[in-house]
Amino acid sequence: MSKKNHDTNRTEVSSLGEFGLIKHLTSQFNIENTSTIKAIGDDAAVIDTNFQFSLHSTDLLIEGVHFDLMYMPLKHLGYKSVIVNLSDIYAMNAEPEQILVSIAISNRFSVEALEELYSGIQLACEKYGVDLVGGDTTTSPSGLMISITAIGRAPADEIVYRSGAKEHDLICVSGDLGAAYLGIQLLEREKQVFLDNPKMQPELTEHTYCVGRQLKPEARKDVIQSLKKNNILPTSMIDISDGLSSEMLHITESSGCGARIYEEHIPLHNDTISLASEFNISPVTAALSGGEDYELLFTVDQKDYDKIKNLTDVCVVGHITAAKEKTVIVTESGNHYPLTAQGWNAFQKQQREN
């Protein structure tokens, strides 16, 4: 094939985006085993092991794409790399039990540096009660890559998918949103200040909450435990890794419904509001499109409202509507605007850098 024809038939990865690429590459795969209950398309795959269902989720973190070691300590990176995977298992209403860790390293990393990375991994394992059971190590031509697979279990009738939301269900969010996004904005700003003048010290002390949410997030095991303690089984659930808008659209598209989220009910921390003002960014925009909060977005039947309203660190932000009403945000002034998926997209970032 000539170079001209080759270029004419070329499709850029960035034109599909992360989830579009996954759908494109896997759309022709068929499920061959009855033990495969849920394959691609949710927070974790679900496998029938006869006694309970086994859940598996994996994430790949690449230096320069997902993290910057100029401001991300290796111990924090190890901890966070585990958390982002455990969060996917909790988002299925299941308990993670094991992880596998694979890394690719360049020769710029010493044994001591890797010990620091693994000390963070160990800390996360101890805190969340999961076991490191395997993995792989290899060389990298440049930088660091980390791939972690989390494995969990749950009874078949307790697993919660993205596809179960129904009209009139209440939309709930744990914790607060937008802080991690503002944290990375601050870290990037202070990094640039340092590069311009290495004698300048970073000014982070006034916004330790947002910085902490970016560098050392937590998975919401406590929320899952609280739901079970109060006999609440969500109708759908997802973790908020790409922003509230993207995750809400995942639920409504999977469930075949619409949604109405109320701006005034979106939970925001005071530090998020303060730092957003400093950057001249709407804190609501940070919550909708920022990502990396690793909170839980879930829906519950209206009959569970009295139980939900008394839960600590959970708030109702809206309700599910019929599909014809689409997915919208209602502003404090009463205007309705369609939610759009504007969260993290590694391929768009790569395109901008190239």
Side-chain angles (χ1 to χ4, degrees):
M1 181 182 292
S2 68
K3 184 177 186 303
K4 181 177 180 181
N5 289 337
H6 175 75
D7 290 343
T8 300
N9 295 329
R10 177 183 172 88
T11 302
E12 297 296 336
V13 170
S14 58
S15 69
L16 297 179
E18 178 185 358
F19 298 105
L21 178 65
I22 293 171
K23 184 176 182 180
H24 177 76
L25 295 177
T26 61
S27 61
Q28 301 303 312
F29 282 71
N30 297 316
I31 302 303
E32 306 291 346
N33 298 286
T34 56
S35 59
T36 303
I37 304 302
K38 182 67 177 180
I40 296 164
D42 220 299
D43 284 274
V46 180
I47 312 298
D48 185 355
T49 59
N50 292 324
F51 301 103
Q52 286 189 316
F53 283 0
S54 176
L55 296 94
H56 304 251
S57 181
T58 189
D59 270 303
L60 177 64
L61 303 178
I62 299 175
E63 183 178 357
V65 177
H66 302 99
F67 60 88
D68 188 331
L69 291 179
M70 278 200 69
Y71 50 72
M72 170 67 82
L74 284 168
K75 186 172 184 178
H76 285 66
L77 176 61
Y79 189 90
K80 182 175 180 177
S81 64
V82 175
I83 294 306
V84 301
N85 284 273
L86 301 187
S87 183
D88 283 333
I89 303 298
Y90 290 126
M92 304 289 289
N93 200 41
E95 288 285 339
E97 295 181 338
Q98 296 89 18
I99 61 167
L100 296 96
V101 178
S102 296
I103 60 172
I105 53 174
S106 68
N107 59 10
R108 89 172 202 264
F109 291 92
S110 65
V111 172
E112 290 76 16
L114 297 178
E115 287 175 347
E116 190 71 5
L117 177 73
Y118 270 72
S119 69
I121 293 173
Q122 182 179 8
L123 182 63
C125 287
E126 291 173 350
K127 180 170 183 176
Y128 289 89
V130 300
D131 301 320
L132 173 60
V133 296
D136 192 19
T137 305
T138 188
T139 58
S140 166
S142 63
L144 171 65
M145 290 180 280
I146 307 171
S147 177
I148 293 186
T149 297
I151 304 168
R153 285 192 304 166
D157 59 354
E158 292 184 9
I159 294 178
V160 177
Y161 301 93
R162 300 175 184 178
S163 55
K166 61 186 185 302
E167 189 175 359
H168 306 305
D169 280 355
L170 303 175
I171 301 169
C172 305
V173 170
S174 68
D176 58 83
L177 305 179
Y181 174 76
L182 272 304
I184 195 68
Q185 301 307 307
L186 179 60
L187 289 165
E188 286 287 347
R189 185 188 72 184
E190 294 305 307
K191 169 190 169 182
Q192 193 57 53
V193 169
F194 175 79
L195 291 175
D196 292 340
N197 184 0
K199 294 182 179 180
M200 293 290 291
Q201 294 297 311
E203 297 183 7
L204 306 174
T205 54
E206 292 185 9
H207 300 292
T208 54
Y209 182 78
C210 288
V211 171
R213 291 279 282 175
Q214 171 59 222
L215 297 183
K216 191 176 178 290
E218 299 291 350
R220 296 313 304 262
K221 176 180 182 177
D222 59 322
V223 174
I224 297 303
Q225 292 175 333
S226 183
L227 290 171
K228 292 181 179 180
K229 181 179 179 181
N230 288 276
N231 297 314
I232 302 170
L233 182 65
T235 54
S236 68
M237 186 155 54
I238 190 171
D239 78 327
I240 304 177
S241 57
D242 296 318
L244 179 59
S245 290
S246 291
E247 314 305 0
M248 192 70 253
L249 287 169
H250 281 314
I251 286 180
T252 55
E253 289 170 5
S254 296
S255 300
C257 59
R260 188 171 297 172
I261 290 178
Y262 294 87
E263 176 186 6
E264 62 192 285
H265 295 314
I266 295 175
L268 302 168
H269 192 275
N270 286 338
D271 194 35
T272 302
I273 297 170
S274 173
L275 192 52
S277 177
E278 193 173 315
F279 279 101
N280 196 27
I281 297 172
S282 164
V284 173
T285 299
L288 291 173
S289 303
E292 289 202 288
D293 292 305
Y294 300 106
E295 295 292 347
L296 294 173
L297 169 66
F298 58 96
T299 57
V300 298
D301 193 285
Q302 276 195 350
K303 65 179 175 57
D304 287 325
Y305 174 71
D306 287 336
K307 298 177 183 177
I308 282 291
K309 71 178 183 180
N310 294 319
L311 291 190
T312 302
D313 217 19
V314 170
C315 63
V316 177
V317 298
H319 62 271
I320 296 296
T321 62
K324 63 181 181 180
E325 296 186 40
K326 300 184 179 180
T327 303
V328 301
I329 182 168
V330 182
T331 66
E332 292 188 25
S333 59
N335 294 317
H336 293 57
Y337 296 100
L339 279 182
T340 56
Q342 296 179 352
W344 166 257
N345 187 325
F347 299 117
Q348 287 181 352
K349 181 177 188 292
Q350 182 185 56
Q351 184 183 45
R352 288 195 300 268
E353 291 177 345
N354 291 340

